[in-house]
Amino acid sequence: MERGKNILNECNAVSSVVGSLLIFSMTIICITAMFLYSVPMIAEMQDEAEAQKVEQAFTILDSRISKVALGESPLQTTSITMEGGTLNVNAPAESEKGRMTIQIINQTDNTKEDFNCSLGTIEYVTDDRKIAYEGGGVWSNYGSRGGTVMISPPEFHYNGVTLTLPIMTINGKSSSSGDGDFDIAVTSDNKPQILYPNVSASVQRKNPVIHDKVIVYIESEYYDAWADYANTLIYTTATVDDTNETAIIEFYTTPPMGTFSLTNNIKFGQVNKSNSQPIHDFKFHFEAAKSQGLNPKKYEIKAIFDTKTLIYSLQKKSGADQLELYVTYMDTSVGPDYIEHWEGIETFSVEGAQADEISNVDLLNESFMMKYSPPNLDGADTDFSWGPSNTTSELPNVEINTTSGYDQYSLENVTQHYIKLMTNEEQIEFNLDGGSQDPMDYGSSKITLNYDSIGNLITYLHVTQNELDVQIVN
């Protein structure tokens, strides 16, 4: 009995030691786990804190560079504190990556002209993280941990009327790495080169902008952040070309509105589709050119954009002083046989006699009714464009009766519908053609055009290149 008690006491002593060892082991395991997970996290937090310090320094650098570029100071120096990493001014592999190209396009005669400037960069690099000054802005690339963001906005100013681009070009090549403070010295001769307007370089470079389109291409390692910045502005939108690392921003000039003399070419800008009736005026005052009067066999007002075609056809009604109207719309992207055709139930009156004949044609006439008259083409959806708002159809989403007693719509509804479709992507141009014996007197005939326009519209363009000499001073 005494022996059993001794064994029990011995087991109790051993269990206390084993328990202590288990607790100690678990403590060691927990501490080890904490080190395994927390040390890299702490190191990452330290790296991020250092990167934020560099971002703040680059923001100060951005402000001081602007002072030099704008002539407020001939020299500015900014101190950057580094704990590892490399500071580069136009590193060899980066020197050609940053470039801004401005292209001006005249769609009427299909001519274009472009000019470009290198941007250059001042970059801080550590591992795969980069912080850079480029184009008047500061950008941060998180590498494998994320994308690119803007820290400080670039020199890109647009207020819906005027686009101002003071392009900052960084000249010089230098590099430093390690720990400690490094100074970046920036100087300039304060003589910016005026690229636009500049009629001495090209007669096309004048204000107000006479071109149909202005495109800004920004080739940069930070192109996606450039595009994000443009999309945050009230009046601009941007697209990206990932293959060429380019942000693309397009601007359009506003075609003239109001009442003006008739020409063979009429430009029509993008209309605001969120407005159910964005077109306010689209009417013609025709006057005869010759004694034969206004007697066109077929006078066409025709617009073509990509795969879409819209035609207004006017012709003299036999035996009457009236003009008949036909409207035809087609889109070959849907199919070669997809054509919508309308005939006017009403007519436009012709007043006067011979050379004094006049006629007023209002393509937004609410009381002028049009009858749907589809062509007999097998396999074609004869009312394909009246549906949801997309690239090939537009509201209202209706099914037009094509079996008997064809539907009737007002000329205004037909015009509003097709113009919204035609200008869905960009502005269009109507060509007026009266044939070899055009009856219209273009000098005295008039057109009145007014509408609710949208898009990146531009009236004035100012582009300068500001060259800056940059050097790292240890």
Side-chain angles (χ1 to χ4, degrees):
M1 190 70 175
E2 186 67 27
R3 179 178 175 83
K5 288 182 178 181
N6 290 335
I7 292 173
L8 183 60
N9 290 334
E10 288 174 358
C11 289
N12 288 335
V14 170
S15 64
S16 299
V17 173
V18 171
S20 299
L21 287 173
L22 286 173
I23 292 172
F24 180 75
S25 299
M26 290 178 63
T27 302
I28 294 298
I29 292 171
C30 290
I31 292 172
T32 303
M34 288 174 63
F35 271 102
L36 286 174
Y37 287 97
S38 65
V39 169
M41 188 179 297
I42 292 171
E44 185 176 331
M45 291 173 63
Q46 288 176 335
D47 291 342
E48 183 60 30
E50 292 169 7
Q52 288 180 357
K53 289 181 181 178
V54 175
E55 288 178 350
Q56 292 172 0
F58 267 67
T59 302
I60 296 171
L61 173 66
D62 178 22
S63 175
R64 292 179 179 174
I65 287 178
S66 295
K67 289 182 178 181
V68 174
L70 297 175
E72 295 180 16
S73 172
L75 169 66
Q76 286 286 316
T77 302
T78 304
S79 181
I80 306 288
T81 301
M82 296 197 306
E83 297 180 16
T86 302
L87 189 62
N88 297 313
V89 175
N90 287 330
E94 308 292 330
S95 58
E96 294 302 320
K97 281 192 176 181
R99 181 177 297 274
M100 186 178 293
T101 301
I102 294 92
Q103 186 176 75
I104 51 181
I105 300 173
N106 192 325
Q107 294 174 319
T108 303
D109 55 11
N110 199 29
T111 58
K112 62 179 65 175
E113 177 186 350
D114 57 63
F115 48 94
N116 59 70
C117 295
S118 294
L119 298 175
T121 58
I122 305 171
E123 282 187 330
Y124 168 78
V125 183
T126 176
D127 296 327
D128 64 347
R129 177 71 184 275
K130 289 184 178 181
I131 300 166
Y133 172 91
E134 179 187 73
V138 178
W139 318 91
S140 189
N141 186 329
Y142 286 81
S144 59
R145 291 180 293 170
T148 304
V149 297
M150 181 196 72
I151 304 300
S152 180
E155 296 292 346
F156 188 102
H157 311 286
Y158 176 61
N159 62 4
V161 177
T162 302
L163 173 62
T164 304
L165 294 175
I167 301 174
M168 305 296 180
T169 298
I170 300 297
N171 295 324
K173 285 185 181 293
S174 56
S175 179
S176 292
S177 59
D179 299 335
D181 294 337
F182 298 85
D183 290 337
I184 300 177
V186 182
T187 60
S188 172
D189 61 4
N190 295 323
K191 295 180 180 178
Q193 180 184 359
I194 299 175
L195 302 178
Y196 198 107
N198 187 348
V199 293
S200 61
S202 169
V203 294
Q204 302 295 318
R205 299 190 197 180
K206 60 182 178 180
N207 280 324
V209 177
I210 61 174
H211 322 288
D212 300 310
K213 185 190 295 187
V214 176
I215 307 178
V216 179
Y217 297 93
I218 304 167
E219 301 172 60
S220 168
E221 183 177 351
Y222 310 96
Y223 72 100
D224 47 350
W226 274 95
D228 290 342
Y229 167 69
N231 286 327
T232 63
L233 301 178
I234 296 175
Y235 301 105
T236 61
T237 54
T239 58
V240 295
D241 177 356
D242 293 316
T243 302
N244 296 305
E245 294 189 335
T246 302
I248 304 169
I249 310 169
E250 297 187 2
F251 300 88
Y252 298 88
T253 55
T254 307
M257 296 190 202
T259 300
F260 42 90
S261 295
L262 191 64
T263 64
N264 288 103
N265 305 103
I266 301 168
K267 293 179 181 179
F268 209 120
Q270 283 186 280
V271 301
N272 184 4
K273 293 200 303 180
S274 63
N275 184 342
S276 62
Q277 295 179 313
I279 311 162
H280 309 311
D281 295 296
F282 190 18
K283 56 188 177 184
F284 298 85
H285 171 75
F286 292 120
E287 295 192 12
K290 301 176 182 178
S291 58
Q292 66 214 40
L294 295 175
N295 60 346
K297 293 182 179 180
K298 186 173 71 170
Y299 187 83
E300 286 191 345
I301 304 169
K302 182 178 182 180
I304 299 176
F305 176 75
D306 199 13
T307 60
K308 301 181 179 72
T309 301
L310 174 62
I311 305 172
Y312 293 91
S313 297
L314 289 166
Q315 65 183 49
K316 184 76 172 287
K317 186 175 182 179
S318 179
D321 292 330
Q322 296 171 335
L323 294 177
E324 297 176 324
L325 176 66
Y326 304 89
V327 179
T328 304
Y329 176 77
M330 61 190 77
D331 186 349
T332 57
S333 71
V334 182
D337 296 335
Y338 283 70
I339 301 173
E340 297 176 348
H341 186 72
W342 300 79
E343 295 180 1
I345 298 175
E346 321 291 337
T347 58
F348 293 105
S349 63
V350 177
E351 301 173 358
Q354 297 181 335
D356 294 326
E357 286 187 345
I358 62 170
S359 182
N360 293 302
V361 175
D362 186 355
L363 298 181
L364 292 175
N365 192 322
E366 295 179 1
S367 60
F368 193 105
M369 301 305 296
M370 304 291 293
K371 179 178 71 173
Y372 191 66
S373 178
N376 295 321
L377 295 172
D378 294 335
D381 180 358
T382 52
D383 59 345
F384 66 92
S385 80
W386 300 76
S389 183
N390 55 48
T391 57
T392 59
S393 65
E394 185 53 65
L395 298 172
N397 188 357
V398 297
E399 182 176 348
I400 297 176
N401 181 10
T402 59
T403 55
S404 62
Y406 294 139
D407 283 350
Q408 298 179 11
Y409 279 58
S410 73
L411 178 55
E412 181 192 30
N413 287 336
V414 171
T415 293
Q416 297 279 2
H417 173 77
Y418 288 129
I419 294 295
K420 283 191 282 187
L421 263 174
M422 291 294 295
T423 63
N424 184 52
E425 297 180 48
E426 59 181 77
Q427 68 181 26
I428 60 174
E429 182 174 270
F430 281 99
N431 296 301
L432 281 60
D433 184 8
S436 58
Q437 295 183 332
D438 195 327
M440 306 301 178
D441 183 343
Y442 288 87
S444 56
S445 298
K446 304 288 183 183
I447 178 175
T448 300
L449 186 62
N450 289 291
Y451 51 90
D452 182 9
S453 62
I454 62 166
N456 300 345
L457 301 177
I458 184 172
T459 304
Y460 300 97
L461 176 63
H462 298 278
V463 183
T464 59
Q465 182 181 19
N466 303 267
E467 299 203 43
L468 302 162
D469 296 317
V470 180
Q471 184 71 33
I472 299 174
V473 183
N474 293 332

